[in-house]
Amino acid sequence: SGGESFGHEHEGDMAAVMSASGIVPRATACPAASPSSRGAGCRVAAPRRVAAGALSRNPDIDYRFSHAQHHDAKFAAWLSDLHCAVRSETWDAVPALMRFPRADARVALHLTAASGQTRLVQSILRRFAREDSEETACEKENENETRDLARVDAAGAAVAAAARGHHSVLAALLDAGLDADAVDERGVHVLTAAAGGGREDAERDEAGETAFESRETTTRRSCRACVAALLAAGADADAGTSRLGWKPLMAAAKAGDVAIVDMLIDAGARVDQTYHNGKTPLYCAAEWGRLDAARALLRRGADATVAADRLHTDHAATSRRGITPYDVARANGHGALAEVLRRAAEE
């Protein structure tokens, strides 16, 4: 199985490898922040005997593992070590961890992709492809190698990378054969993740608002590169392979990214597509006060009179005609945007 495909070292060697790789032993805290340490605030996830199911209830722990793994103490031990390595940015330890019998390529690929570690992602993919090729050598003789990327949840890794603007990781996954219309196990299309990504990953820090804005701008640029790469690889601008109603243009409008809005429409995205509750991309821009994105959508033919008529939210302005972009912009205090939408609706 995928969980035992990375070597056959004995569990007794784990402590030695962890020590050599700089990972703190279990049941102790990661070292406090210092000029030589990057592990501030890091904690090892669990003692050796904790079940993986307990780890899955921690929002910082990836839960992409099987029912059997939930009750596997050795897998839980491996998982806690992997998370400690990721959180303390001890990247050199990851290849060592991947040699253990309980190593799971899916979890490692997701975490390294989400962290923007391109070389590690490529290493995991190469190792998986090599072992996959060895398992089916007789069947694939004299044929081009094909990789079942679903086995390592490459789609999930791509969504995690795209949402954080890790363009080089996404490029590596596409080079490995990932479908540009890949959808993760929750139904999220990788293009939708890229179109709306970046904002949640940028957090204010002690340096203040300027640093936040700079980081956010950098991440948005990276997300634009992800969108461009996916569209160039043939991704459907309307994410038709996803069962979800939330589409890339809606995500870009909510994020207020005019460049991505234009890229998606140029690639064929429908400007007045609707979510299941009747929201359009223009409504999303109005709801979140994205004036520039709303203007871009109006320039590209968005209809300001289309109302969201199946909302479950209790709006005071609710009527049989539904809630228009103008209504929601005014209700949310976006006065300048509301005026632009009012004029557009009257034209």
Side-chain angles (χ1 to χ4, degrees):
S1 67
E4 301 196 15
S5 62
F6 285 86
H8 306 284
E9 297 185 13
H10 297 294
E11 291 292 328
D13 296 334
M14 183 179 284
V17 173
M18 293 300 96
S19 176
S21 301
I23 292 183
V24 177
R26 284 182 208 89
T28 65
C30 288
S34 68
S36 61
S37 172
R38 305 181 66 181
C42 176
R43 292 185 302 128
V44 177
R48 178 177 290 272
R49 295 186 62 81
V50 73
L55 295 179
S56 69
R57 292 189 288 272
N58 184 332
D60 295 328
I61 298 291
D62 190 277
Y63 58 86
R64 291 168 172 78
F65 37 82
S66 69
H67 177 75
Q69 288 172 322
H70 273 263
H71 306 284
D72 186 336
K74 291 182 179 179
F75 174 76
W78 173 82
L79 185 63
S80 66
D81 284 330
L82 177 65
H83 273 276
C84 187
V86 170
R87 294 181 64 182
S88 62
E89 300 183 22
T90 313
W91 301 116
D92 291 343
V94 175
L97 283 165
M98 293 308 298
R99 292 197 295 271
F100 284 92
R102 293 302 193 275
D104 189 321
R106 298 168 302 157
V107 178
L109 186 66
H110 182 93
L111 290 176
T112 53
S115 300
Q117 297 299 309
T118 306
R119 288 196 304 117
L120 286 174
V121 167
Q122 292 171 326
S123 176
I124 293 169
L125 289 172
R126 282 196 301 269
R127 196 157 192 167
F128 167 74
R130 182 169 61 249
E131 296 187 0
D132 183 53
S133 180
E134 290 172 357
E135 290 176 4
T136 57
C138 295
E139 299 175 10
K140 294 182 180 178
E141 190 173 6
N142 300 321
E143 296 181 10
N144 292 330
E145 179 183 307
T146 59
R147 304 174 185 176
D148 183 8
L149 293 176
R151 286 179 54 193
V152 285
D153 190 23
V159 167
R164 294 163 176 80
H166 296 316
H167 170 255
S168 61
V169 171
L170 181 61
L173 290 164
L174 289 169
D175 288 344
L178 179 76
D179 187 346
D181 281 317
V183 175
D184 75 4
E185 61 190 17
R186 298 169 299 165
V188 178
H189 194 289
V190 63
L191 183 60
T192 305
R199 294 191 60 82
E200 293 181 0
D201 199 46
E203 298 177 352
R204 289 174 174 81
D205 57 17
E206 295 177 358
E209 187 73 17
T210 301
F212 165 73
E213 292 175 352
S214 176
R215 188 189 305 110
E216 184 181 45
T217 300
T218 300
T219 307
R220 290 307 311 164
R221 286 199 199 100
S222 298
C223 287
R224 290 167 198 153
C226 289
V227 169
L230 289 165
L231 292 174
D236 176 9
D238 281 333
T241 56
S242 172
R243 67 179 184 274
L244 302 180
W246 187 250
K247 299 301 182 183
L249 191 57
M250 297 172 188
K254 177 180 176 179
D257 197 307
V258 175
I260 293 180
V261 166
D262 285 333
M263 277 193 284
L264 292 170
I265 296 175
D266 288 341
R270 293 174 293 118
V271 72
D272 281 329
Q273 58 191 288
T274 58
Y275 192 49
H276 62 75
N277 57 10
K279 290 184 180 182
T280 62
L282 183 60
Y283 185 103
C284 296
E287 184 175 23
W288 290 87
R290 311 303 186 198
L291 178 58
D292 291 338
R295 284 174 169 161
L297 289 163
L298 290 168
R299 285 197 304 269
R300 304 303 292 267
D303 187 348
T305 66
V306 176
D309 55 2
R310 296 180 296 279
L311 292 173
H312 298 291
T313 308
D314 182 17
H315 286 284
T318 299
S319 67
R320 290 185 179 180
R321 67 178 174 82
I323 306 299
T324 66
Y326 164 75
D327 292 331
V328 75
R330 185 182 63 175
N332 288 350
H334 310 306
L337 176 51
E339 181 60 20
V340 168
L341 292 167
R342 184 189 66 78
R343 292 176 181 175
E346 292 176 351
E347 291 178 356

